[in-house]
Amino acid sequence: MTKFDNDQIDDKSLDSENEQEGISRRDMLTRSAGLAGLAGIGAVGGLTLGSLRSASAATKNKAHVGPGDLDEYYGFWSSGQAGEVRILGVPSMRELMRIPVFNRCSASGWGQTNESRKILTEGLLPETKEFLADKGGVWLNGDAHHPHMSFTDGTYDGRYLFINDKANNRVARIRCDVMKVDKIIEIPNASDIHGLRPQKYPRTGYVFANSEHRIPMPNDGSILDDPKQYHAVFTAIDGDTMEVAWQVMVDGNLDNCDADYQGLYAFSTCYNSENGVTLAEMTANEQDWAVVFDIKAIEKAVKKGDFKEMSGVPVVDGRKGSPYTRYIPISNSPHGCNTAPDGKHVVINGKLSPTVSVIDVTKLPDLFKDKIKPRDAIVAEPEVGLGPLHTAFDGKGNCFTTLFLDSQVAKWNLDKAIRAYQGEDVNPILEKIDVHYQPGHNHTSMGETKDADGKWLVSLNKFSKDRFINVGPLKPENDQLIDITSDKMEIVHDGATYAEPHDCIIVRTDIVNPAKTWTRGDVMWADAEAQAKKDGVNLMGDSKVIRDGNKVRVYMWSIAPAFSMPKFTVKQGDEVTVYVTNMDSIEDLTHGFTLENHGIAVEIGPQQTTSVTFKAERPGVHWYYCQWFCHALHMEMRGRMLVEPA
Amino acid sequence: MTKFDNDQIDDKSLDSENEQEGISRRDMLTRSAGLAGLAGIGAVGGLTLGSLRSASAATKNKAHVGPGDLDEYYGFWSSGQAGEVRILGVPSMRELMRIPVFNRCSASGWGQTNESRKILTEGLLPETKEFLADKGGVWLNGDAHHPHMSFTDGTYDGRYLFINDKANNRVARIRCDVMKVDKIIEIPNASDIHGLRPQKYPRTGYVFANSEHRIPMPNDGSILDDPKQYHAVFTAIDGDTMEVAWQVMVDGNLDNCDADYQGLYAFSTCYNSENGVTLAEMTANEQDWAVVFDIKAIEKAVKKGDFKEMSGVPVVDGRKGSPYTRYIPISNSPHGCNTAPDGKHVVINGKLSPTVSVIDVTKLPDLFKDKIKPRDAIVAEPEVGLGPLHTAFDGKGNCFTTLFLDSQVAKWNLDKAIRAYQGEDVNPILEKIDVHYQPGHNHTSMGETKDADGKWLVSLNKFSKDRFINVGPLKPENDQLIDITSDKMEIVHDGATYAEPHDCIIVRTDIVNPAKTWTRGDVMWADAEAQAKKDGVNLMGDSKVIRDGNKVRVYMWSIAPAFSMPKFTVKQGDEVTVYVTNMDSIEDLTHGFTLENHGIAVEIGPQQTTSVTFKAERPGVHWYYCQWFCHALHMEMRGRMLVEPA
């Protein structure tokens, strides 16, 4: 393990006011080495660079999408700490679009337009609004993990995408008609919103979100270094209203989650049954849990008042022993949680154990009635390899599990795994292939729905090392596309991606039907419409400057290659709001409004109205221009803001 | 022209305090229609969707780079209003990395780390620093246009990339060893820094940057709506020190620029010879110019004091009639400016004229001595098609010009064009192919150097329309890769890109040799090293909390999967600086530091030190965690900041 044999690291004692809880390097090395010994941890460092490549000559290029040919699937990719959602084409693996979500976007003005600022702020908790007031009002640097589409009757319905922000406890919703975020809420009583999945049946319905880190409730400083008073919660959000419906307090740290195909149960992996706060404490027990939530029972509890209201939300006590949950013992620190398209099985991925554990949902009513023991709900537990993190499905009874430590994907058969668990002498492992390197999430085409079609598997690999030309100390991730249509898995594409596609889904194109342009009257700019009405302005055709004390509202429109207003004049100190309506109705004819020397740039799609507010503090002549190429005379599409000195 | 026949547009009169200068819709339609008649403008709207596709069956997949195979070229792509630089592999056209430049980056903490904030602010003008003081201190939403590498002896040398911010008058430098920005400066006396090119010979040396928009000098509000007192400037930046060496005041609006292979001249296209401010005024004249700058003469002028100092910079008067410049008449509104690898010719692209004009640099000494007239420097002027914007070269005497209105690339032979201009009956146009759609910049492999190798041509197309599955009202750009090795150009790849790759360069991999990890002692974190020294802290191994009044400095390090400090305690109201040193030395083992509920997330590459400063305002328990996947126990890599209530 190269990384722990680093000559540069010498072993001085810690010298810190936090020393009593500090991890010394020696402890860390010992601890890590110990874990490595147990479960193969540390293999990241042990990888040989220049590992065997797939010989390109031998690769049939099944992922090839020729110039002008169209992809068969939409891929919706999260981006981890980049904070956005990405739309890829599958199988071409081309990145077709970025959707700003928890980041600021220089191109679109996400975080700067009044419309986006409303979405980014209105769902925040009051204390967060106050915290952000002197910081520009919107969060920076979110961490977008799990993008999932809304379901109807067990399959994608093309309405919405939902995604979590692990860093700042938010859940966002993306409208699939325009591929823009329309709602973001902050989850109260939570720290580190992590696993997220929509209800599959009868529809979404609920969006389930795990709070991973345990914190005091309330987290107001009255409880600090007293971890036994920390808690984590499971949250059900109403996907239609984007309000929190209820929460369930749990033991341990919730990790990933999924829902069943019957509308009865949700599932979360749950580690740190020790309720510890250090790495050593959190990994001490040999077993942790998969937690099962009884949705109907929780709804009844909320109805009958068996909850504590915290931050305006009903919080049901679902800790071990509660009637609303069951804790199924699973080996140390399970991670991924994946419901199979057969509607019956849920795969819990072992992480520190080489096994995956399969829950049979038909056994859960008996489990909640205490007719069987928690472990009796497990119907298979095949050993798949080192570091199993997530499992995807082909809809034909086969499962594909990423093995982080082995840098492999294991294909195994669910039925054989069940028979083996029952004692039959059958090997459920069908095949393993190397991926490059250290895979996290994976996903098959339509694989989290009842319509899993077994065509493509994507392995989201955390390290790329030598797979691409070197681009400096920061390397891309490597999203590999694997053809799973035959008996033999075949890697057909290495796709470099920027930090850090955490998860993805792959959706048939016929399910997603985005609009080609905006439609007038869209709710996204309802506030602008309302203000224009008050000001007697028709956004589709009027060019007006309205002065209202030191507030100035500038209304203009655009048709390539010109803004309707080639100049406007304001006074130094004015608060200026510029409304621009793009009157071009041609597909792809997006305009922009960039105001020089002010760091202002916003997107205005065909038929869209966008507004931005700023203070005119700099006297002089400031040009504004269209930054979205629109016409041969695009560069001439500009005007002047004249700011009279105070 | 569909877009001007829009039923939704009715023709109300303008109602605005700016009415006297407002463009009515009728004016705009007439004007546009008129221009369209003259030069084919408006074809954007006239395009037939569903244009002929390249049949994928017929496409030999020459761009295919198999899984694990490496690209032959680095592509450095600008991103327009997305504000970043992208590294692509060519010919795979995979995006390998994003380099944050004029944007904020959620993943890396660019704009948030102390190290990046220093780079983003130290080169700003004092008035801009003041303007930004209450806005978080750094610019948002830049507009990155032209990425170019430093040269030595007429070819790329792998040291630096330079790029301009059109929106906020900045030029940035990227260190190619680590692929991160190390310097950003704001250009004084300028508005809209647009065209940018490095000196090719003897070395870079100068970085030439055009100020496109005309503004008052000084632009302090003393002059407002008096366009005849507006000016534009040409700027020479010292690429080694990143300081402005000198500026030249010009007539008209400078657009794109390039340098010669002799170290004597620089060239800019220049439109708006009318010195107007509206679209109508700016396109009234039949001719504009290519401006030639005599570098040695300007250097002498600066030396002998023939300049006016403005904002601390020597500004030489290079307006028409100046000894330091020559204005060569070119048809209305020329755009691209491209020096051919033969070292002798410069191609000026017509935009509103269907021609390109070729300057012979050997004629320029005589032009400056007034032995010949400006137009005598033109040695060819072939008609290439509608809307010629930019020209690239194969190093074998052929030129590739993008035709924005025709949505084509025209391949033409330079020697034949010269002979035709001399009266010989020869057709210089060799071939035209459709691109999809509306191409702007283009670039060939090594094409802006003397080592142009004629292998690949990239056409950066502004509209993609029907080339990809629909992703909503906002469409991607389409960067097409064209094989130019044979007599027949062949499109081999359609590459979707997010807004808006404005320009790119394609560099042989042997020229670029980035580091695999950071090296301790790098100047990027010199301030952190200095502070640590003052505090008696060794960044490589000490974990310490230093209190200094209400300033708290937290020093920790990381080895996967743990921070050295599992918790630290501060008081509400403290100004906290966290320094994290990544002690892992394994390639690709980047860590991160995300502080929950604070919008803080930063990148810490292997062997790097990163710091971030914030105010601890929220009492309670706040977890920090590593957001760059590093280990099977990555999720457990975290700690707690305990904030005691005030």
Side-chain angles (χ1 to χ4, degrees):
Chain A
M1 288 175 294
T2 317
K3 77 164 168 285
F4 299 121
D5 296 330
N6 194 327
D7 287 337
Q8 295 177 56
I9 304 173
D10 54 13
D11 190 21
K12 290 182 195 153
S13 64
L14 287 168
D15 178 10
S16 155
E17 62 178 62
N18 299 278
E19 186 177 0
Q20 69 289 355
E21 289 223 355
I23 298 178
S24 75
R25 278 185 306 272
R26 178 167 291 161
D27 285 349
M28 203 185 288
L29 301 190
T30 312
R31 176 87 200 139
S32 298
L35 281 169
L38 285 171
I41 311 291
V44 171
L47 267 183
T48 309
L49 298 189
S51 300
L52 286 177
R53 300 177 183 288
S54 308
S56 65
T59 302
K60 294 167 228 106
N61 187 24
K62 294 187 186 175
H64 181 63
V65 177
D69 288 340
L70 301 182
D71 280 299
E72 288 172 55
Y73 298 87
Y74 287 92
F76 296 102
W77 251 244
S78 70
S79 68
Q81 58 271 36
E84 68 200 15
V85 164
R86 299 166 189 161
I87 309 178
L88 271 71
V90 177
S92 76
M93 298 290 276
R94 296 179 294 208
E95 185 186 296
L96 302 177
M97 187 48 59
R98 301 183 192 174
I99 305 171
V101 185
F102 302 122
N103 60 332
R104 298 208 53 155
C105 174
S106 174
S108 62
W110 183 254
Q112 184 172 70
T113 67
N114 293 319
E115 294 72 30
S116 66
R117 290 177 66 83
K118 185 180 182 184
I119 293 165
L120 283 159
T121 55
E122 67 182 352
L124 297 178
L125 301 176
E127 59 268 30
T128 302
K129 283 183 191 169
E130 192 189 323
F131 172 72
L132 291 172
D134 63 351
K135 294 169 190 68
V138 299
W139 281 115
L140 296 171
N141 301 13
D143 191 0
H145 274 224
H146 303 109
H148 292 285
M149 185 172 273
S150 54
F151 284 75
T152 297
D153 193 18
T155 195
Y156 297 135
D157 61 17
R159 290 182 293 131
Y160 294 117
L161 291 163
F162 300 93
I163 189 158
N164 65 302
D165 170 20
K166 183 173 150 88
N168 302 297
N169 311 323
R170 293 177 291 179
V171 172
R173 184 175 75 179
I174 293 165
R175 272 173 53 183
C176 292
D177 60 339
V178 290
M179 295 300 173
K180 301 281 185 189
V181 170
D182 79 330
K183 289 279 182 192
I184 297 182
I185 61 168
E186 182 179 3
I187 310 297
N189 310 316
S191 174
D192 197 274
I193 292 296
H194 188 201
L196 176 144
R197 290 279 181 140
Q199 190 177 4
K200 295 181 201 286
Y201 183 87
R203 69 188 284 280
T204 312
Y206 292 129
V207 178
F208 300 116
N210 284 341
S211 172
E212 185 183 334
H213 296 167
R214 295 160 54 81
I215 49 162
M217 288 167 65
N219 190 16
D220 57 5
S222 54
I223 300 166
L224 285 174
D225 198 7
D226 187 5
K228 67 181 176 299
Q229 293 196 62
Y230 293 1
H231 300 288
V233 293
F234 178 78
T235 301
I237 300 155
D238 181 322
D240 294 316
T241 63
M242 287 299 277
E243 288 171 0
V244 173
W246 40 260
Q247 295 186 313
V248 181
M249 185 190 286
V250 296
D251 281 316
N253 288 40
L254 296 177
D255 193 345
N256 286 282
C257 64
D258 206 345
D260 66 8
Y261 281 90
Q262 291 76 33
L264 300 176
Y265 303 104
F267 317 93
S268 290
T269 48
C270 186
Y271 67 101
N272 189 21
S273 56
E274 306 85 349
N275 291 340
V277 288
T278 64
L279 177 61
E281 291 165 10
M282 291 190 283
T283 53
N285 286 357
E286 287 199 3
Q287 281 190 323
D288 291 309
W289 302 302
V291 184
V292 184
F293 299 89
D294 183 335
I295 297 168
K296 303 293 175 197
I298 294 164
E299 285 173 336
K300 276 181 205 156
V302 171
K303 214 164 192 175
K304 73 180 184 202
D306 185 16
F307 62 83
K308 191 172 164 189
E309 187 174 311
M310 303 182 74
S311 300
V313 169
V315 181
V316 173
D317 190 343
R319 287 177 291 179
K320 218 160 170 258
S322 151
Y324 310 120
T325 54
R326 285 297 179 271
Y327 288 71
I328 301 176
I330 302 285
S331 286
N332 194 349
S333 299
H335 186 63
C337 179
N338 305 94
T339 307
D342 65 8
K344 192 179 176 191
H345 297 101
V346 183
V347 177
I348 305 297
N349 300 264
K351 191 164 92 169
L352 299 192
S353 160
T355 54
V356 292
S357 307
V358 180
I359 296 170
D360 180 338
V361 301
T362 64
K363 297 186 182 290
L364 297 177
D366 281 350
L367 174 59
F368 274 90
K369 286 177 205 143
D370 293 324
K371 290 186 182 170
I372 59 170
K373 291 186 177 161
R375 283 289 300 176
D376 295 340
I378 302 293
V379 294
E381 204 152 51
E383 191 164 314
V384 290
L386 294 181
L389 291 190
H390 298 278
T391 297
F393 308 96
D394 67 1
K396 301 163 191 166
N398 301 314
C399 311
F400 303 82
T401 302
T402 50
L403 302 173
F404 182 83
L405 296 171
D406 284 339
S407 279
Q408 287 189 318
V409 171
K411 179 180 179 181
W412 53 279
N413 182 272
L414 183 53
D415 181 57
K416 285 187 180 171
I418 293 168
R419 283 156 48 203
Y421 193 73
Q422 289 164 346
E424 196 174 326
D425 183 19
V426 57
N427 180 9
I429 307 297
L430 305 181
E431 190 194 0
K432 290 184 185 183
I433 58 163
D434 292 342
V435 292
H436 312 86
Y437 305 92
Q438 264 69 38
H441 278 270
N442 64 353
H443 212 88
T444 44
S445 40
M446 297 296 291
E448 71 174 12
T449 76
K450 66 177 183 183
D451 296 329
D453 63 14
K455 282 186 157 184
W456 297 107
L457 169 68
V458 167
S459 176
L460 300 173
N461 307 310
K462 302 299 183 178
F463 294 80
S464 65
K465 296 173 189 268
D466 56 350
R467 298 291 284 189
F468 307 111
I469 50 176
N470 180 27
V471 291
L474 185 63
K475 320 288 184 205
E477 318 299 304
N478 185 9
D479 300 346
Q480 289 184 304
L481 182 70
I482 301 168
D483 180 347
I484 55 168
T485 53
S486 73
D487 281 350
K488 211 167 161 46
M489 291 183 276
E490 185 186 7
I491 293 173
V492 292
H493 183 84
D494 270 33
T497 44
Y498 188 63
E500 176 184 290
H502 194 90
D503 195 4
C504 68
I505 61 170
I506 304 169
V507 183
R508 283 200 326 267
T509 49
D510 64 282
I511 292 169
V512 188
N513 295 294
K516 294 188 171 186
T517 68
W518 288 89
T519 301
R520 293 304 302 166
D522 194 289
V523 69
M524 287 286 201
W525 57 85
D527 287 355
E529 287 279 11
Q531 186 61 55
K533 200 173 171 185
K534 273 191 214 164
D535 287 338
V537 168
N538 174 11
L539 293 175
M540 291 292 281
D542 287 347
S543 297
K544 272 192 187 172
V545 176
I546 308 269
R547 177 169 285 280
D548 182 2
N550 71 341
K551 286 188 163 61
V552 178
R553 290 184 290 278
V554 180
Y555 293 95
M556 67 174 86
W557 46 267
S558 61
I559 292 180
F563 295 107
S564 65
M565 205 180 270
K567 71 171 181 184
F568 63 88
T569 303
V570 297
K571 293 186 180 68
Q572 188 179 3
D574 282 345
E575 184 193 288
V576 182
T577 301
V578 176
Y579 300 84
V580 186
T581 297
N582 180 346
M583 290 185 27
D584 281 305
S585 54
I586 291 169
E587 193 178 354
D588 206 357
L589 220 160
T590 298
H591 289 299
F593 177 86
T594 292
L595 179 60
E596 280 183 27
N597 312 315
H598 286 72
I600 286 169
V602 306
E603 165 195 350
I604 318 149
Q607 296 289 298
Q608 186 180 16
T609 295
T610 303
S611 72
V612 62
T613 299
F614 58 92
K615 207 166 158 194
E617 290 173 75
R618 315 190 86 175
V621 177
H622 304 287
W623 290 88
Y624 48 88
Y625 66 87
C626 173
Q627 82 274 23
W628 237 288
F629 214 103
C630 60
H631 193 279
L633 287 167
H634 163 69
M635 276 207 343
E636 288 80 355
M637 182 166 170
R638 62 187 196 241
R640 291 170 297 150
M641 176 174 76
L642 308 177
V643 182
E644 294 170 346
Chain B
M1 285 175 297
T2 319
K3 77 162 167 288
F4 298 121
D5 296 330
N6 193 326
D7 287 336
Q8 294 177 54
I9 304 173
D10 54 12
D11 191 20
K12 290 184 196 152
S13 64
L14 288 168
D15 179 11
S16 156
E17 62 177 61
N18 299 277
E19 186 178 2
Q20 69 288 354
E21 290 223 354
I23 299 177
S24 76
R25 279 185 305 271
R26 177 167 292 160
D27 284 349
M28 203 184 284
L29 302 191
T30 312
R31 175 92 200 137
S32 297
L35 281 169
L38 284 171
I41 311 291
V44 171
L47 270 181
T48 309
L49 298 188
S51 301
L52 286 176
R53 300 175 184 287
S54 307
S56 66
T59 302
K60 294 166 227 107
N61 187 24
K62 295 188 183 173
H64 181 63
V65 177
D69 289 341
L70 301 181
D71 281 298
E72 290 174 52
Y73 297 88
Y74 287 93
F76 296 102
W77 252 243
S78 71
S79 68
Q81 58 270 35
E84 67 198 17
V85 164
R86 300 168 188 158
I87 309 178
L88 272 71
V90 177
S92 76
M93 298 290 276
R94 296 179 292 209
E95 185 186 295
L96 302 178
M97 187 47 59
R98 301 183 191 174
I99 305 171
V101 184
F102 302 121
N103 60 332
R104 298 207 54 155
C105 174
S106 175
S108 63
W110 183 254
Q112 183 171 70
T113 66
N114 293 318
E115 294 71 30
S116 66
R117 291 177 66 84
K118 185 179 183 185
I119 292 165
L120 282 159
T121 55
E122 67 182 353
L124 297 178
L125 300 176
E127 59 268 32
T128 301
K129 284 183 190 168
E130 192 188 323
F131 172 71
L132 291 172
D134 63 352
K135 294 170 190 67
V138 300
W139 281 114
L140 296 171
N141 300 13
D143 191 1
H145 274 225
H146 303 108
H148 292 286
M149 186 172 272
S150 54
F151 284 77
T152 296
D153 193 18
T155 195
Y156 297 135
D157 61 16
R159 288 183 294 133
Y160 293 118
L161 290 163
F162 300 93
I163 189 158
N164 65 301
D165 170 19
K166 183 173 150 88
N168 301 299
N169 311 322
R170 293 177 291 180
V171 173
R173 183 173 75 179
I174 294 165
R175 273 172 52 182
C176 292
D177 59 339
V178 290
M179 295 299 173
K180 300 282 186 189
V181 170
D182 79 331
K183 290 276 181 193
I184 297 182
I185 61 168
E186 182 180 4
I187 309 297
N189 311 313
S191 174
D192 197 272
I193 292 295
H194 188 202
L196 176 144
R197 290 278 182 140
Q199 190 177 4
K200 294 182 200 287
Y201 183 89
R203 70 187 283 280
T204 313
Y206 292 130
V207 178
F208 300 116
N210 284 341
S211 171
E212 185 184 336
H213 295 168
R214 295 160 53 81
I215 49 161
M217 289 167 64
N219 190 17
D220 57 5
S222 53
I223 300 165
L224 284 175
D225 198 7
D226 188 4
K228 65 182 180 296
Q229 294 197 62
Y230 293 2
H231 301 288
V233 293
F234 177 79
T235 300
I237 300 154
D238 181 322
D240 294 317
T241 63
M242 287 299 277
E243 288 172 359
V244 173
W246 40 260
Q247 294 186 312
V248 181
M249 184 190 287
V250 296
D251 281 317
N253 288 41
L254 296 177
D255 194 345
N256 286 282
C257 64
D258 207 347
D260 66 8
Y261 281 90
Q262 291 76 33
L264 300 175
Y265 304 104
F267 316 93
S268 290
T269 47
C270 186
Y271 68 101
N272 190 21
S273 56
E274 306 87 348
N275 291 340
V277 287
T278 65
L279 177 61
E281 289 165 11
M282 290 190 283
T283 53
N285 285 358
E286 289 199 0
Q287 282 190 322
D288 290 309
W289 303 301
V291 184
V292 185
F293 299 90
D294 183 336
I295 296 167
K296 301 293 175 198
I298 294 164
E299 286 175 333
K300 275 182 203 153
V302 171
K303 213 164 194 174
K304 75 181 181 199
D306 185 15
F307 63 81
K308 191 172 164 188
E309 188 174 309
M310 302 181 77
S311 299
V313 169
V315 181
V316 173
D317 190 344
R319 286 177 291 180
K320 220 162 169 257
S322 151
Y324 310 120
T325 54
R326 286 296 179 271
Y327 288 71
I328 301 175
I330 302 284
S331 286
N332 193 349
S333 298
H335 186 62
C337 180
N338 305 94
T339 306
D342 65 9
K344 191 180 177 191
H345 297 101
V346 183
V347 176
I348 305 297
N349 299 264
K351 190 163 93 169
L352 300 192
S353 160
T355 54
V356 293
S357 307
V358 180
I359 296 170
D360 180 339
V361 301
T362 64
K363 295 185 183 291
L364 297 178
D366 281 351
L367 174 58
F368 273 90
K369 286 178 202 142
D370 294 322
K371 290 184 182 172
I372 60 171
K373 289 185 177 158
R375 283 289 300 176
D376 294 341
I378 302 293
V379 295
E381 204 152 51
E383 192 163 313
V384 290
L386 294 182
L389 291 189
H390 297 278
T391 297
F393 308 95
D394 67 0
K396 301 164 189 165
N398 300 314
C399 310
F400 303 83
T401 301
T402 51
L403 303 173
F404 182 83
L405 297 171
D406 284 339
S407 279
Q408 288 188 317
V409 170
K411 179 180 179 180
W412 54 280
N413 182 272
L414 184 53
D415 181 57
K416 285 185 178 172
I418 293 167
R419 283 155 51 203
Y421 193 72
Q422 289 165 346
E424 196 175 325
D425 184 18
V426 57
N427 180 8
I429 308 296
L430 305 181
E431 189 194 0
K432 290 185 184 182
I433 59 162
D434 293 341
V435 292
H436 311 87
Y437 306 93
Q438 265 66 40
H441 278 269
N442 63 354
H443 213 88
T444 44
S445 41
M446 296 296 290
E448 70 173 15
T449 76
K450 66 177 183 183
D451 296 328
D453 62 14
K455 282 187 159 183
W456 298 107
L457 169 68
V458 167
S459 176
L460 300 173
N461 307 310
K462 301 298 183 178
F463 294 80
S464 65
K465 295 172 189 271
D466 56 351
R467 298 291 284 189
F468 306 110
I469 51 176
N470 180 28
V471 291
L474 184 63
K475 319 289 182 203
E477 320 297 304
N478 185 8
D479 301 345
Q480 289 182 305
L481 183 69
I482 301 168
D483 179 347
I484 55 168
T485 52
S486 72
D487 281 350
K488 211 165 160 48
M489 291 183 277
E490 185 187 6
I491 294 173
V492 292
H493 184 84
D494 271 32
T497 43
Y498 188 64
E500 172 184 293
H502 195 92
D503 195 4
C504 69
I505 61 170
I506 304 169
V507 183
R508 284 200 327 268
T509 48
D510 64 281
I511 293 169
V512 188
N513 295 296
K516 294 188 170 184
T517 68
W518 288 90
T519 301
R520 293 305 302 167
D522 194 288
V523 69
M524 286 286 201
W525 57 84
D527 288 355
E529 287 278 12
Q531 186 62 54
K533 198 172 171 186
K534 272 190 214 165
D535 286 338
V537 168
N538 173 12
L539 293 175
M540 291 291 280
D542 287 347
S543 297
K544 271 192 187 175
V545 176
I546 308 269
R547 177 169 286 280
D548 182 3
N550 71 343
K551 287 188 164 60
V552 178
R553 289 185 289 279
V554 179
Y555 294 94
M556 68 175 84
W557 47 267
S558 60
I559 292 178
F563 295 107
S564 64
M565 203 180 270
K567 71 170 180 183
F568 63 88
T569 303
V570 296
K571 294 185 179 69
Q572 188 179 5
D574 282 344
E575 182 193 289
V576 182
T577 302
V578 176
Y579 300 83
V580 187
T581 297
N582 180 345
M583 289 186 27
D584 280 306
S585 54
I586 291 168
E587 193 177 354
D588 206 357
L589 220 161
T590 298
H591 289 300
F593 177 85
T594 291
L595 179 60
E596 279 181 32
N597 312 316
H598 286 74
I600 287 170
V602 307
E603 164 195 350
I604 317 148
Q607 295 289 298
Q608 186 180 15
T609 295
T610 303
S611 73
V612 62
T613 300
F614 58 92
K615 207 165 157 193
E617 289 173 76
R618 317 190 85 173
V621 177
H622 304 287
W623 289 87
Y624 48 88
Y625 66 87
C626 174
Q627 82 274 24
W628 237 288
F629 213 105
C630 61
H631 193 281
L633 287 168
H634 162 69
M635 276 204 345
E636 288 80 355
M637 182 167 170
R638 61 186 196 242
R640 291 170 297 149
M641 175 174 77
L642 307 177
V643 182
E644 295 171 347

